[in-house]
Amino acid sequence: MNPPTKWSALVRGARAATECVRLVVLTAAIAMLFSQVASAHEVRPAYLSVQEEAPNEFSVLFKTPMQGDARLALSAVFSGKVENLTPVISRPTGDAMVQTWQMRAVEPLEGQVVSIDGLQNTMTDALVRVEFASGDVWIERLTPGAPEATVPATPSRWFTAATYLTLGVEHILSGFDHLLFVLALLIITEGSWRLVKTVTAFTVAHSITLALATLGFVNVPSPPVEAVIAMSIAFVAVEIVHVRQGRRSLAARAPWLVAFAFGLLHGFGFAGALSEIGLPAGQIPVALLFFNLGVEVGQLLFVGAVLALVALGVRRRSLPAWLDLVPPYAIGTIAMFWVIERVATF
């Protein structure tokens, strides 16, 4: 072998080693991202619900995250004059402290600034929901950088659309189980056209069950749904391993069928999150439509980000075969952790 040939071999070896490192780093980053939130008990958003029961009288529910036995030092504050009609009742729920009481708005609640005192000192957000007896609903997300907002007199349709679009995007991007399922589908699907059909099938399926469950046509208990969603991720992870071993199962030949079947279950999961937020009376179609659109926008952002990372960071060339098994095993391990954790709550 002459020196130039030796030099070329060294260059090819160095490139192959670099590609190996890139793949390992990418897989490790994805696994670490999801494993850090696998328990999902670290920083949860606070939630303030204010519902008008009688003219200017409201029932209040304030849920704040807990870390161990310690509750985040947060409190709800209104700029106008309000008075409590009942004492504040507090009860822990494991990962949050729930406080409930009745209050009277001496000054109209419309136009008041509601703030979460102490939020600026945390790393979490707070969702505020105000429902009036007229059926008007105002929802706003407060952040450490913007811990207050003004309650509008009458939320417009555009305000409702923008609010629920944002909530949909935020829900899918913080729904790590849904994202992990989409990631598994991306791995097992080969070819651009198949990928389009698979993502479309998942979208159509969860849109159907989201609408049916939200509108009350179907009622499925949340804990079993969440457990089966985790099992769906583990199933696809196992199918990826089968493909790597040369066995072409139905999931590999027709991933859009698997995406549609399990997408129906994921739609019930989206509906559970939407039911906690609630839908504004008189604007239910708008809120439901834009929440679903927000979910799709967030999903497409995630798919685009993953494909961009793969295109920029990984080129499959002279890589050890065992590296192909790292992503499905990482995904399957996290999914089975979720299965055990969720079944334990039954």
Side-chain angles (χ1 to χ4, degrees):
M1 182 179 291
N2 54 40
T5 304
K6 290 182 179 180
W7 176 251
S8 299
L10 288 175
V11 171
R12 287 195 299 269
R15 286 177 177 175
T18 302
E19 302 299 345
C20 291
V21 171
R22 286 178 176 176
L23 180 57
V24 171
V25 170
L26 177 61
T27 303
I30 293 173
M32 288 175 61
L33 171 64
F34 289 107
S35 63
Q36 286 178 355
V37 295
S39 60
H41 291 305
E42 294 166 4
V43 182
R44 294 174 177 267
Y47 178 65
L48 174 64
S49 172
V50 182
Q51 185 170 1
E52 189 173 21
E53 305 287 352
N56 296 323
E57 294 186 4
F58 300 83
S59 62
V60 183
L61 182 148
F62 187 40
K63 182 169 68 173
T64 53
M66 294 182 66
Q67 295 178 328
D69 295 329
R71 180 180 77 88
L72 289 184
L74 303 177
S75 58
V77 179
F78 297 89
S79 62
K81 186 176 181 180
V82 298
E83 58 183 19
N84 290 351
L85 301 177
T86 63
V88 177
I89 299 175
S90 302
R91 68 180 190 278
T93 61
D95 57 3
M97 178 67 72
V98 176
Q99 298 175 300
T100 55
W101 69 94
Q102 300 285 327
M103 77 173 191
R104 175 186 296 115
V106 180
E107 299 176 8
L109 203 59
E110 299 91 332
Q112 289 196 35
V113 175
V114 58
S115 61
I116 304 299
D117 187 36
L119 190 66
Q120 65 275 13
N121 302 320
T122 69
M123 297 178 63
T124 189
D125 297 339
L127 184 66
V128 179
R129 182 180 189 273
V130 179
E131 181 176 352
F132 295 98
S134 63
D136 290 334
V137 176
W138 174 71
I139 298 175
E140 186 63 64
R141 181 177 66 93
L142 306 182
T143 65
E148 63 181 31
T150 302
V151 181
T154 303
S156 66
R157 287 184 178 272
W158 287 113
F159 178 86
T160 300
T163 299
Y164 278 86
L165 180 70
T166 303
L167 290 173
V169 173
E170 292 173 351
H171 175 70
I172 184 65
L173 293 182
S174 62
F176 297 103
D177 49 357
H178 303 297
L179 294 182
L180 203 58
F181 180 76
V182 173
L183 178 61
L185 289 177
L186 293 177
I187 294 175
I188 201 172
T189 304
E190 299 177 351
S192 300
W193 175 235
R194 279 191 174 187
L195 180 60
V196 170
K197 290 195 293 184
T198 300
V199 173
T200 302
F202 182 65
T203 296
V204 171
H206 71 64
S207 298
I208 292 172
T209 47
L210 171 61
L212 291 177
T214 303
L215 297 176
F217 293 106
V218 180
N219 184 20
V220 180
S222 178
V225 167
E226 295 299 327
V228 177
I229 286 175
M231 291 179 65
S232 71
I233 303 169
F235 171 81
V236 179
V238 171
E239 292 298 295
I240 296 172
V241 174
H242 288 168
V243 171
R244 298 290 190 262
Q245 295 173 344
R247 288 181 284 175
R248 302 285 294 178
S249 61
L250 176 64
R253 296 194 306 270
W256 56 88
L257 293 180
V258 174
F260 184 86
F262 287 123
L264 296 172
L265 288 170
H266 285 253
F268 287 122
F270 295 140
L274 186 57
S275 66
E276 293 182 0
I277 300 172
L279 293 171
Q283 298 187 29
I284 291 177
V286 172
L288 179 58
L289 172 62
F290 278 88
F291 181 84
N292 195 54
L293 288 176
V295 169
E296 302 317 315
V297 170
Q299 179 177 295
L300 291 176
L301 289 174
F302 175 74
V303 170
V306 171
L307 294 180
L309 282 174
V310 171
L312 293 174
V314 178
R315 297 191 185 106
R316 298 177 56 83
R317 183 178 56 195
S318 302
L319 299 180
W322 62 268
L323 280 178
D324 283 339
L325 296 176
V326 173
Y329 275 109
I331 293 172
T333 299
I334 297 169
M336 287 309 301
F337 176 87
W338 278 330
V339 171
I340 296 171
E341 181 185 49
R342 295 173 182 183
V343 169
T345 63
F346 285 5

